[in-house]
Amino acid sequence: MKDVSVYIAALVEYAVERGLIEEADRVWARNQLLAALALDGYTEPEKAAGDLPLEEILGQLLDDAAARGVIGDDITSRDLLDTKLMGILTPRPGEVIREFQARCAQSKQAATDWYYRFSQDTDYIRRYRIARDVKWVTPTEYGDLDITINLSKPEKDPRAIAAAKSAPQSGYPKCQLCRENEGYAGRMNHPARGNHRVIPVTIDGRDWFLQYSPYVYYNEHCIVFNGEHTPMKIDRSAFRKLLDFVKQFPHYFVGSNADLPIVGGSILSHDHFQGGRYTFAMEKAPVEREVSFPGFADIEAGIVHWPLSVLRLRCGDDNRLVDLAEKILTAWRSYTDEAAFVYAETDGEPHNTITPIARMRDGKYELDLVLRNNITTPEHPMGVYHPHAELHHIKKENIGLIEVMGLAVLPARLKGELSRLGEVLVSGGDPAADEVLAKHAPWAAELRQRHTFTADNVEEILQDEVGKVFAQVLEHAGVFKCDEQGREAFLRFVAAVK
């Protein structure tokens, strides 16, 4: 291993080249890095390390720290330290906000372009981990669905899990979305955010903040979050905030997870939206049937050709959209249609809510309202409008905003499982005999009836079939199905909006 000074020098050089620090900051930055690494000496390298990728520079410094016992050699301990190192080199929040606002004077897109690049240069978005994600596109009757096996979110090893359990519990920050995460050093049971910087935005007269997701499931995947730790709530104000955001950032879409368990996202305790610069299959999906609502002749409305139940509203006046969206939400909250197995509540528990998505299109505001219902039954204990048990071998997690729009975020386990399953299918083996693959056995048997597998085609076939399973997942999540009976039920609800 090269002398650690080489990598400290390389990290300082990286920060200067990326504009994170100035030339005059070199010595200061070096000394701050030495302190964080528990080193008290430095030798100027005779030869530079060369143009090393950031991952390698940080990896060498972490290896050295682990070898000296400064940190444990587990992923969580390593992430805590490398974030601390990058936090030293990250400009303070005030500087970042001033730079963002200065670029806004040029254009909002110029500002977000800079902020997105900055969030990668600081290693808050770890480019090298995102690159590991497995991605492909599957054509379906609903359009091209995006499929991702998420490998960028590190899985904790047993040592890290044990350390997290024994770590003192803290209520600060209250959750991973709170503003108080900005600059937080982290601990074994809470991620470090020393290199995290957020941008203040005002929507509906309230203080909110903009950041990017560190896991970037799609291009410029951003999170817009309430400055206060307050629960998710879909109401008139939510529609107003979504449209306010796209008014300020018309090159981005923004949407909200639903506010009920099962059909909501993974964090319901903190009000937030997700957005970005990406065109999902749902946005491309056409309106299959135009509808109208009394008193709103100025609003274009229709049922979208999509496996979930989507009403699309378009208008040049955002206030009119908010009025109609509120009327539709109010009607849906209390709507029951036993023939369609839609119940507003059972035993006092509410079931109906909406997943809303806002965007600008051709100079008009557009709002997609996805009707959701979280009722459960003994046959479907995880939800009637949730992936059913026969699909859990591929996807059993909640169908949140990102999946609703047509992007499957599949668990990391599938990378290895699909590879092993492919080998078994090619060799003629029995997946049921493999403890890990047994859950895929019924699916594999069905695939064998339709395909002849070879080493050359097995990966492509499996990816395509996984995409088709995801299409079924979305169909299961749809309250009103894409058949004649389902569309008749959908129109009954439209008629009930008064």
Side-chain angles (χ1 to χ4, degrees):
M1 176 177 170
K2 295 180 181 178
D3 181 75
V4 70
S5 297
V6 172
Y7 299 104
I8 293 174
L11 187 53
V12 171
E13 183 65 28
Y14 169 90
V16 171
E17 288 179 355
R18 295 299 191 282
L20 301 178
I21 63 173
E22 299 178 22
E23 188 67 35
D25 298 328
R26 281 183 182 271
V27 173
W28 169 87
R30 174 203 304 158
N31 287 332
Q32 295 298 308
L33 294 173
L34 288 171
L37 291 165
L39 294 168
D40 55 14
Y42 175 85
T43 303
E44 193 68 43
E46 295 180 5
K47 185 179 179 181
D51 189 20
L52 295 177
L54 180 61
E55 180 183 20
E56 183 174 344
I57 295 170
L58 292 172
Q60 294 284 357
L61 293 173
L62 296 174
D63 288 347
D64 174 76
R68 291 184 292 111
V70 175
I71 59 169
D73 195 17
D74 60 85
I75 185 66
T76 303
S77 298
R78 292 172 71 92
D79 279 3
L80 289 172
L81 181 56
D82 71 4
T83 302
K84 184 176 184 178
L85 299 179
M86 293 307 299
I88 290 167
L89 303 171
T90 300
R92 292 189 178 186
E95 298 175 57
V96 177
I97 293 168
R98 282 191 295 274
E99 182 67 26
F100 183 87
Q101 292 174 341
R103 290 174 184 264
C104 278
Q106 176 187 347
S107 77
K108 293 295 179 67
Q109 185 170 322
T112 56
D113 285 349
W114 171 81
Y115 182 44
Y116 188 57
R117 185 171 59 253
F118 169 84
S119 298
Q120 295 174 79
D121 288 343
T122 62
D123 208 36
Y124 171 70
I125 297 172
R126 299 172 185 256
R127 291 183 177 102
Y128 43 89
R129 285 188 181 165
I130 306 301
R132 297 172 191 163
D133 289 347
V134 180
K135 300 180 179 183
W136 69 90
V137 174
T138 298
T140 73
E141 65 174 292
Y142 307 109
D144 292 342
L145 301 182
D146 294 303
I147 314 297
T148 299
I149 297 178
N150 175 37
L151 303 174
S152 56
K153 200 170 186 176
E155 295 187 21
K156 293 183 177 181
D157 64 28
R159 292 170 296 176
I161 293 171
K165 284 183 178 179
S166 61
Q169 296 300 307
S170 170
Y172 182 89
K174 290 181 180 177
C175 76
Q176 292 186 26
L177 285 178
C178 285
R179 189 197 175 181
E180 287 76 15
N181 284 278
E182 186 178 43
Y184 187 64
R187 52 185 190 267
M188 293 303 289
N189 56 8
H190 192 99
R193 292 291 183 254
N195 55 351
H196 181 38
R197 301 292 181 264
V198 300
I199 303 296
V201 294
T202 301
I203 50 177
D204 194 25
R206 305 293 178 86
D207 293 332
W208 281 52
F209 293 88
L210 170 68
Q211 67 173 69
Y212 288 105
S213 166
Y215 308 115
V216 191
Y217 293 140
Y218 50 85
N219 185 51
E220 296 182 44
H221 178 183
C222 70
I223 298 172
V224 190
F225 65 95
N226 197 322
E228 298 180 5
H229 182 78
T230 187
M232 297 280 293
K233 187 176 183 181
I234 301 300
D235 57 7
R236 178 186 180 88
S237 178
F239 302 137
R240 179 68 274 161
K241 291 185 182 83
L242 291 170
L243 291 166
D244 270 4
F245 183 82
V246 297
K247 183 184 293 186
Q248 294 181 55
F249 299 93
H251 58 296
Y252 276 7
F253 81 88
V254 69
S256 175
N257 269 304
D259 55 358
L260 293 179
I262 298 177
V263 295
S266 57
I267 300 179
L268 294 177
S269 61
H270 195 128
D271 200 10
H272 71 285
F273 306 143
Q274 295 182 78
R277 184 156 35 157
Y278 191 73
T279 303
F280 288 88
M282 191 179 82
E283 180 179 343
K284 299 175 187 176
V287 168
E288 67 178 42
R289 176 160 183 160
E290 293 182 359
V291 298
S292 61
F293 297 92
F296 292 93
D298 55 326
I299 294 181
E300 302 169 48
I303 295 172
V304 179
H305 181 64
W306 192 245
L308 284 97
S309 306
V310 185
L311 283 169
R312 178 165 295 160
L313 313 178
R314 297 188 74 229
C315 188
D317 185 341
D318 55 321
N319 291 315
R320 292 286 288 161
L321 278 187
V322 171
D323 289 343
L324 179 53
E326 181 185 31
K327 190 174 286 286
I328 292 170
L329 173 65
T330 301
W332 180 242
R333 290 281 195 195
S334 61
Y335 186 73
T336 292
D337 181 345
E338 294 185 7
F341 203 78
V342 174
Y343 294 87
E345 59 87 23
T346 54
D347 300 324
E349 179 187 351
H351 296 306
N352 291 347
T353 185
I354 281 177
T355 299
I357 301 100
R359 66 182 74 89
M360 296 293 297
R361 196 198 307 241
D362 300 329
K364 289 187 176 182
Y365 295 95
E366 190 167 274
L367 197 57
D368 282 353
L369 303 179
V370 187
L371 307 180
R372 312 297 303 277
N373 180 289
N374 74 347
I375 194 169
T376 61
T377 64
E379 183 184 1
H380 301 295
M382 295 183 71
V384 172
Y385 304 110
H386 178 88
H388 294 173
E390 67 269 22
L391 306 183
H392 287 181
H393 66 108
I394 298 295
K395 176 75 174 178
K396 68 177 180 180
E397 297 79 13
N398 288 0
I399 304 306
L401 171 68
I402 295 172
E403 287 88 359
V404 161
M405 295 185 293
L407 191 159
V409 182
L410 302 178
R413 63 174 173 82
L414 279 178
K415 182 181 180 183
E417 289 177 10
L418 291 176
S419 178
R420 286 175 63 177
L421 180 60
E423 294 172 1
V424 171
L425 289 171
V426 170
S427 67
D430 181 9
D434 185 307
E435 183 178 355
V436 173
L437 299 183
K439 58 180 169 288
H440 298 296
W443 180 55
E446 191 264 325
L447 295 183
R448 275 178 162 152
Q449 294 178 2
R450 295 190 284 111
H451 300 285
T452 300
F453 291 97
T454 68
D456 294 330
N457 71 12
V458 66
E459 181 179 15
E460 182 179 353
I461 290 173
L462 285 178
Q463 287 187 347
D464 187 60
E465 293 291 345
V466 166
K468 291 175 180 175
V469 169
F470 180 59
Q472 290 180 269
V473 163
L474 297 182
E475 289 172 343
H476 287 186
V479 178
F480 301 122
K481 305 307 180 186
C482 295
D483 54 23
E484 184 178 355
Q485 187 176 8
R487 277 351 195 196
E488 287 175 357
F490 204 152
L491 290 173
R492 288 199 297 274
F493 167 67
V494 170
V497 179
K498 305 294 186 183

